[in-house]
Amino acid sequence: MCGRYATTQTSASLNQAFEVDLVNSFVELEADYNMAPTKLAPILIGRAPEEASADRPLRELLTAKWGLIPSWAKDQSIGNRMINARSETIAEKPAFKKAFGKRRALIPADGYYEWYAREPIDGKKTPKQPFYITPKDGSILAIAGLYEFWKNREDDEWVISYTIITTTAEDELGHLHDRMPLFVEPKGYDAWLDPAPHPTQELLELLIPAAPGRLDAFPVSTEVNNVRNNGPELIVPLPPE
């Protein structure tokens, strides 16, 4: 599961890193060291190019609500249960099937958090220890996701929402949690963001776990447990015990 992450990039840095073509006029990015479900976060989506001769879809940067709301949902509260989508079932599960077919996204992140369940002491449960997981080289993660448009019947406003795709955690990180986000490498951006139909297997092959040794994981303060806490101190490694 991926339930919290950090995203501190500016529009300019994301434009450069992902070669963005279109920037939604409503995009206002602020550093968020404790991105949580229901918050607005930057995502990248693909738009069909205006010219048929174009060699790739247009890349658009916009903000969306974390927690996918299917177009058929009666109210947006369902998104609270749709923050993650299992890669094993995204092509068949009704909540994700249509989005997987033509509304795929990249979610830029500096790193993400997982909580390690420690062994009981004297038979008593101990608090889980949060870990921050981030690229060792300081690069930006391109997390694979899906997005949807949902119309609020009360005010006729459209809500854009997204979910993060997860898989079984690699051995190095599996001791922290049995699930982890999937990523897309730069060479796969065009196909993943392309709204045109692609064979299911071809799309699934674009989703990869982080290469062994690429990510660093270290314990951080339990201050991250409270979503109201939000600052660079949340991603500072704890001193060795």
Side-chain angles (χ1 to χ4, degrees):
M1 175 175 180
C2 178
R4 299 280 182 87
Y5 65 94
T7 175
T8 68
Q9 303 299 316
T10 64
S11 293
S13 63
L14 291 178
N15 290 346
Q16 182 176 11
F18 292 94
E19 300 178 4
V20 174
D21 301 292
L22 305 168
V23 179
N24 189 293
S25 59
F26 296 103
V27 171
E28 295 182 6
L29 302 183
E30 295 183 0
D32 196 320
Y33 294 88
N34 204 353
M35 180 57 66
T38 75
K39 284 187 175 184
L40 289 177
I43 69 171
L44 291 116
I45 68 171
R47 297 286 194 183
E50 296 179 0
E51 299 180 5
S53 59
D55 60 356
R56 70 173 177 86
L58 298 176
R59 298 176 186 176
E60 180 177 1
L61 174 65
L62 48 77
T63 55
K65 185 177 181 178
W66 188 8
L68 189 134
I69 309 167
S71 59
W72 43 259
K74 293 182 178 180
D75 65 78
Q76 55 184 312
S77 64
I78 192 174
N80 299 336
R81 306 192 302 273
M82 302 286 183
I83 65 170
N84 290 166
R86 297 174 69 94
S87 61
E88 298 89 342
T89 56
I90 52 174
E92 294 87 25
K93 193 170 183 178
F96 305 123
K97 184 176 181 179
K98 287 186 177 180
F100 177 68
K102 57 183 178 181
R103 286 183 289 276
R104 298 175 296 276
L106 295 175
I107 294 88
D110 297 15
Y112 64 97
Y113 300 96
E114 288 294 1
W115 279 258
Y116 174 61
R118 292 180 287 193
E119 293 295 324
I121 298 178
D122 296 330
K124 297 181 180 180
K125 288 185 177 181
T126 55
K128 291 183 178 180
Q129 172 62 55
F131 277 71
Y132 184 60
I133 302 166
T134 186
K136 291 180 179 179
D137 61 5
S139 59
I140 304 173
L141 294 171
I143 301 176
L146 308 174
Y147 73 99
E148 268 290 6
F149 295 100
W150 180 81
K151 190 174 185 179
N152 190 331
R153 297 176 183 176
E154 295 181 359
D155 55 17
D156 286 334
E157 293 291 327
W158 285 94
V159 177
I160 307 173
S161 61
Y162 72 96
T163 188
I164 285 174
I165 300 174
T166 66
T167 187
T168 302
E170 62 169 296
D171 290 344
E172 245 178 47
L173 301 175
H175 69 285
L176 298 179
H177 198 280
D178 61 351
R179 305 291 294 180
M180 69 179 296
L182 276 167
F183 307 98
V184 180
E185 295 289 356
K187 63 182 180 181
Y189 290 174
D190 289 342
W192 182 251
L193 295 177
D194 190 358
H198 283 259
T200 295
Q201 190 56 38
E202 176 185 311
L203 292 172
L204 292 175
E205 288 175 357
L206 297 173
L207 305 178
I208 60 170
R214 179 187 173 190
L215 300 180
D216 195 9
F218 48 81
V220 292
S221 169
T222 54
E223 290 295 309
V224 73
N225 295 354
N226 189 332
V227 72
R228 289 176 294 183
N229 296 326
N230 197 330
E233 67 278 2
L234 298 183
I235 62 173
V236 175
L238 292 179
E241 294 183 355

